[in-house]
């Protein structure tokens, strides 16, 4: 009976070691996902700043265009040339803004996916902690039985 208890104790120790290894690996993966999340949040902030700057640039160009139009109203030909140029610049800025918005949406989706993965890994960690606690309880019980049988 002492052999059976010792064998059960050794099995529980081995299972506890494997569970600790799995838990450690999951914690590493969770840390990696947190780092990725932080990096993506940084990229998202950068994208939002770029979008804000593009909007400011667009507003400034619009104001400048209005001032030029009033100043050059008598010289229609030069005004038309400048308006064509400004329109093309505006389209370029709008295209950049659209690209920034698309990139922002993609980053938000990636963050959402990473948060879900992190939550899943956390749940796995919690399950492993519960298993480890059960194993530790069983190990403690086996040790108590072993010491009672020896005593």
């Amino acid at each position: 009976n002492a052999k059976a208890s010792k064998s059960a104790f050794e099995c529980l120790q081995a299972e506890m070691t494997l569970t600790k290894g799995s838990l450690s690996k999951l914690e590493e993966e969770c840390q990696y996902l947190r780092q990725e999340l932080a990096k993506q949040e940084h990229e998202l902030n950068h994208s939002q700043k770029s979008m804000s700057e593009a909007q400011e640039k667009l507003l400034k160009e619009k104001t400048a265009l209005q001032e030029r139009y009033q100043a050059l109203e008598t010289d229609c030909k030069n005004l038309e040339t400048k308006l064509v140029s400004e329109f093309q610049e505006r389209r370029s800025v709008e295209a950049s803004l659209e690209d920034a918005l698309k990139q922002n949406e993609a980053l938000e989706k990636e963050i959402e996916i990473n948060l879900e993965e992190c939550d899943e890994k956390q749940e796995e960690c919690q399950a492993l902690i519960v298993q480890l606690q059960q194993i530790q309880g069983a190990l403690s019980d086996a040790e108590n039985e072993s010491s009672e049988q020896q005593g």
Side-chain angles (χ1 to χ4, degrees):
N1 199 9
K3 277 187 173 182
S5 292
K6 185 176 180 183
S7 178
F9 177 74
E10 289 172 351
C11 284
L12 287 172
Q13 276 186 321
E15 188 175 337
M16 184 176 75
T17 301
L18 290 172
T19 302
K20 282 182 179 179
S22 295
L23 181 59
S24 176
K25 184 178 179 183
L26 284 172
E27 286 174 342
E28 287 174 9
E29 289 177 4
C30 215
Q31 180 62 29
Y32 172 76
L33 286 173
R34 284 186 187 110
Q35 290 171 349
E36 284 296 309
L37 179 62
K39 186 169 51 170
Q40 289 175 359
E41 285 176 340
H42 175 73
E43 291 174 5
L44 175 62
N45 288 338
H46 180 44
S47 293
Q48 288 172 336
K49 182 181 176 186
S50 296
M51 185 174 69
S52 177
E53 289 171 356
Q55 287 173 334
E56 275 185 40
K57 184 178 177 183
L58 182 61
L59 184 60
K60 287 177 184 179
E61 288 179 3
K62 182 180 177 185
T63 302
L65 181 62
Q66 289 171 342
E67 290 172 358
R68 283 186 211 135
Y69 178 80
Q70 291 170 359
L72 300 173
E73 194 171 1
T74 56
D75 194 357
C76 220
K77 189 166 188 151
N78 289 340
L79 178 61
E80 287 175 6
T81 303
K82 283 194 176 278
L83 284 175
V84 167
S85 175
E86 292 293 327
F87 183 73
Q88 289 172 346
E89 286 181 28
R90 183 176 173 176
R91 281 195 173 199
S92 176
V93 170
E94 287 174 346
S96 295
L97 181 58
E98 285 179 18
D99 288 344
L101 286 170
K102 287 177 185 174
Q103 185 180 13
N104 188 36
E105 287 175 10
L107 288 172
E108 286 177 349
K109 287 178 185 176
E110 277 186 47
I111 287 172
E112 184 177 319
I113 289 168
N114 284 336
L115 284 173
E116 290 173 6
E117 288 176 5
C118 189
D119 288 346
E120 289 173 12
K121 295 296 181 183
Q122 263 188 319
E123 289 175 12
E124 289 177 23
C125 284
Q126 289 300 322
L128 286 172
I129 289 170
V130 170
Q131 287 178 354
L132 183 59
Q133 289 171 343
Q134 291 172 347
I135 290 169
Q136 287 173 337
L139 185 58
S140 177
D141 292 346
E143 288 174 346
N144 289 340
E145 285 181 21
S146 177
S147 64
E148 287 175 8
Q149 290 175 358
Q150 290 176 359

